[in-house]
Amino acid sequence: MGIEKTNREILVRFVRENFNIRSREIPGDILRRLRVKGDPDLDDLTKPRFQPIHDLMADMIALYEKRLNVNIRILSMDEYVRLSCRAKYACRLCGFMEYLFDAENRTVYIERYEYDIRVLIFLYYADAVLRSRGWFRRPVSNIRLFCIHAYPPLSVFALNRLHRFGNPFLGSGDRCAMYLPETLEKARYWFNKNIIMKRTKWFELV
């Protein structure tokens, strides 16, 4: 998927200015720039042709960092498991995404496999939203494509595609496999709640 530098700049600017946009408002030209020929899989994502998507995902993660006032780090499985065994790191769910949160340094740790799943589902969702705009199809209109924390587990996503003939979305077309997508406000609530709990415990000790 040869996304040129100028194309990537267009995508990054669009995501930056329209992070919470619903899929019905995303121009077809933007979706076509994200299209990948053939079904990608997790092993494919390491190939050079997917580097532009990883670059775009890095920009999306940077937007999360700015909005939530946190640092986000992608870790290997071994590093993630090592941190999860330490008492200072709280394991949380944000939407369907598991992460470790270091409240002291406001750092979020995401395991590499968890990240790769979101890259894969992002590509499928972008393609499915575009295909839903074809003749005699009901457009998928109500998902927030760039809110990657709300994507469902890969097993749920795969079952939906299997039972709906390649369509990962459920029901009437504007309801999707995300099942009540979480908002950034709820994510911020969890991050802040963790800090409040830490401060409360500290005051109790004092």
Side-chain angles (χ1 to χ4, degrees):
M1 182 188 59
I3 298 181
E4 300 174 359
K5 182 179 179 180
T6 54
N7 288 349
R8 178 172 175 258
E9 290 172 352
I10 291 172
L11 287 171
V12 170
R13 185 169 64 250
F14 181 85
V15 173
R16 187 185 303 122
E17 296 173 356
N18 303 276
F19 188 76
N20 282 316
I21 192 173
R22 295 186 182 275
S23 53
R24 62 175 169 267
E25 299 166 357
I26 301 176
D29 179 58
I30 294 295
L31 294 171
R32 280 188 287 273
R33 292 171 189 269
L34 296 169
R35 173 164 270 180
V36 175
K37 293 182 179 179
D39 279 358
D41 58 40
L42 288 173
D43 292 333
D44 281 342
L45 297 180
T46 62
K47 296 181 179 178
R49 72 191 184 103
F50 289 98
Q51 186 56 46
I53 290 298
H54 290 297
D55 292 340
L56 181 62
M57 290 288 287
D59 292 316
M60 291 164 61
I61 287 175
L63 290 173
Y64 272 94
E65 291 180 319
K66 182 177 180 180
R67 282 163 168 74
L68 300 174
N69 188 28
V70 297
N71 298 310
I72 298 178
R73 300 289 178 263
I74 310 297
L75 302 180
S76 68
M77 182 179 292
D78 289 344
E79 292 174 309
Y80 187 85
V81 171
R82 195 176 301 115
L83 287 184
S84 67
C85 295
R86 299 181 184 177
K88 67 174 290 189
Y89 297 106
C91 186
R92 299 288 188 187
L93 280 176
C94 179
F96 290 99
M97 184 171 67
E98 178 187 296
Y99 63 92
L100 296 175
F101 184 51
D102 177 2
E104 182 179 348
N105 298 307
R106 292 195 65 75
T107 302
V108 173
Y109 298 101
I110 301 173
E111 198 267 316
R112 169 65 60 178
Y113 181 74
E114 189 87 27
Y115 163 81
D116 286 342
I117 284 174
R118 268 143 187 83
V119 177
L120 183 65
I121 295 179
F122 174 75
L123 292 171
Y124 275 124
Y125 272 2
D127 183 64
V129 170
L130 183 60
R131 286 188 290 107
S132 76
R133 298 178 180 180
W135 290 99
F136 307 112
R137 295 186 180 182
R138 184 166 187 173
V140 175
S141 62
N142 204 35
I143 72 162
R144 290 185 170 92
L145 182 65
F146 305 119
C147 293
I148 58 174
H149 69 281
Y151 291 177
L154 187 60
S155 59
V156 173
F157 173 82
L159 281 173
N160 290 343
R161 292 189 73 229
L162 177 66
H163 292 298
R164 292 185 58 77
F165 308 103
N167 182 0
F169 301 107
L170 296 175
S172 63
D174 61 354
R175 294 181 179 275
C176 66
M178 290 181 187
Y179 300 136
L180 302 176
E182 302 291 336
T183 61
L184 288 177
E185 286 73 20
K186 185 165 184 180
R188 186 179 295 109
Y189 163 78
W190 278 110
F191 291 136
N192 290 337
K193 180 180 178 183
N194 198 303
I195 290 218
I196 292 171
M197 290 174 64
K198 289 269 186 181
R199 288 174 178 169
T200 302
K201 289 179 181 178
W202 185 81
F203 282 122
E204 288 175 354
L205 291 174
V206 175

